[in-house]
């Protein structure tokens, strides 16, 4: 029988969940589907649990099976749905300074979609104040704490990922019950994802080369290229940060 996830990386968005997912996927005792962000418990729930189960068909004897969808943390409906289908699941949340997280989210969207290209950060949060609400971590975590035992939720800080990525990964391995001595070859590859999107990079052809290498499973080389190709993002103005 196809097993459902034993763990989920639930967010927050723009707080290292892609990095966590890519590194966990390298671990021989962890299975993560190739598809990024399955969005079952927020956007695709009506498609049914069997559709979701199909993503984990390729899992074999791995100790930990999971996926990363950062929107689960701030989507109100996600926690009860997860509880209904995965009552024993382990949950991983990584939190980042909420203003930095939001600014990164803005640049990520601006770098990916043409219609965002000429919209300032200030106008964007005025038009979509719900983006600010994504950073109300206490409110979001409370929904999970009501439904899951505290020891099932690992809450990490993005600052710790940046300062010591290998120790950060070890904490996750320990939490998942997999071999802590495994050393991921991607652990030291930090990336400024907002500056590495197709509209903010230095070179678009190089951007597509990076994408192709990811598809071929050459993640280490792809991340090296992405980092070298990342554009420089402007600083957030002190007055906007204060506001």
């Amino acid at each position: 029988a196809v097993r459902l996830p034993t763990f989920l990386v639930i967010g927050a968005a723009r707080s290292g969940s892609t990095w966590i997912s890519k590194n966990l996927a390298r671990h021989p005792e962890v299975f993560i589907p190739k598809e990024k962000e399955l969005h079952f418990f927020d956007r695709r729930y009506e498609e049914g649990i069997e559709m979701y189960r199909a993503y984990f068909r390729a899992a074999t004897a791995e100790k930990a099976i999971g996926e990363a969808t950062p929107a689960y943390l701030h989507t109100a409906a996600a926690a009860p749905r997860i509880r209904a289908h995965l009552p024993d699941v382990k949950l991983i949340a990584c939190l980042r300074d909420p203003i930095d997280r939001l600014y990164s989210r803005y640049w990520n969207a601006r770098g990916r979609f043409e219609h965002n290209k000429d919209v300032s950060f200030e106008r964007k949060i005025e038009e979509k104040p719900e983006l600010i609400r994504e950073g109300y971590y206490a409110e979001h975590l409370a929904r999970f704490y009501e439904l899951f035992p505290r020891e099932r939720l690992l809450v990490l800080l993005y600052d710790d990922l940046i300062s010591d990525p290998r120790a950060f990964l070890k904490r996750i391995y320990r939490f998942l019950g997999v071999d802590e001595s495994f050393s991921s070859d991607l652990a030291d590859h930090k990336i400024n994802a907002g500056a590495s999107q197709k509209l903010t990079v230095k070179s678009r052809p190089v951007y597509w080369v990076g994408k192709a290498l990811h598809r071929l499973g050459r993640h280490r080389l792809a991340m090296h290229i992405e980092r070298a190709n990342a554009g420089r993002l402007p600083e957030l103005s002190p007055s906007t940060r204060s506001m």
Side-chain angles (χ1 to χ4, degrees):
V2 176
R3 292 182 292 160
L4 282 168
T6 61
F7 76 91
L8 297 173
V9 180
I10 57 173
R14 317 299 324 141
S15 304
S17 52
T18 299
W19 182 93
I20 292 169
S21 178
K22 280 194 192 322
N23 276 285
L24 284 177
R26 308 294 265 191
H27 198 296
E29 296 178 344
V30 179
F31 175 84
I32 286 184
K34 283 190 167 60
E35 295 81 354
K36 194 183 158 201
E37 300 191 19
L38 301 185
H39 284 287
F40 175 65
F41 294 106
D42 61 329
R43 297 184 204 156
R44 302 179 63 197
Y45 192 64
E46 304 311 317
E47 294 177 48
I49 194 72
E50 290 312 311
M51 176 282 294
Y52 185 56
R53 194 187 294 275
Y55 282 105
F56 306 97
R57 205 178 281 140
T60 52
E62 292 88 354
K63 282 187 183 177
I65 296 171
E67 59 118 341
T69 302
Y72 293 161
L73 181 64
H74 66 254
T75 303
R81 289 169 176 174
I82 293 168
R83 177 76 176 78
H85 294 283
L86 308 172
D88 301 319
V89 77
K90 291 180 176 180
L91 303 162
I92 300 166
C94 185
L95 310 181
R96 180 180 185 179
D97 176 290
I99 301 170
D100 294 339
R101 186 207 70 79
L102 179 57
Y103 194 53
S104 172
R105 181 139 157 61
Y106 160 76
W107 276 105
N108 187 57
R110 179 168 161 160
R112 284 168 65 201
F113 307 113
E114 296 279 351
H115 66 266
N116 283 317
K117 207 157 51 99
D118 303 313
V119 181
S120 72
F121 177 67
E122 290 77 7
R123 196 173 115 216
K124 191 73 181 175
I125 58 174
E126 203 175 295
E127 288 173 359
K128 296 190 80 175
E130 64 270 25
L131 293 176
I132 298 173
R133 196 166 196 92
E134 287 179 9
Y136 292 6
Y137 303 137
E139 189 180 292
H140 305 322
L141 287 170
R143 288 192 292 269
F144 287 91
Y145 282 129
E146 278 169 24
L147 297 170
F148 294 92
R150 195 162 280 266
E151 64 273 11
R152 257 332 148 65
L153 193 53
L154 177 66
V155 180
L156 301 162
L157 297 178
Y158 182 80
D159 290 355
D160 293 333
L161 188 166
I162 299 302
S163 66
D164 193 342
R166 291 186 180 274
F168 182 91
L169 268 179
K170 267 193 194 309
R171 285 186 66 190
I172 298 176
Y173 296 158
R174 196 175 306 132
F175 178 67
L176 295 180
V178 297
D179 181 10
E180 285 177 49
S181 66
F182 175 74
S183 180
S184 168
D185 58 348
L186 297 182
D188 298 317
H189 281 257
K190 299 189 190 79
I191 191 144
N192 183 349
S196 303
Q197 296 299 339
K198 64 174 179 264
L199 303 180
T200 44
V201 290
K202 295 171 191 167
S203 161
R204 278 209 216 182
V206 174
Y207 166 84
W208 291 115
V209 168
K211 280 278 177 222
L213 286 166
H214 273 308
R215 277 196 294 275
L216 294 168
R218 302 288 302 280
H219 299 298
R220 192 174 182 177
L221 182 56
M223 288 171 95
H224 180 76
I225 284 171
E226 284 170 348
R227 192 166 47 176
N229 195 37
R232 191 158 174 78
L233 300 183
E235 289 288 314
L236 178 60
S237 81
S239 61
T240 299
R241 183 178 287 277
S242 169
M243 176 276 291

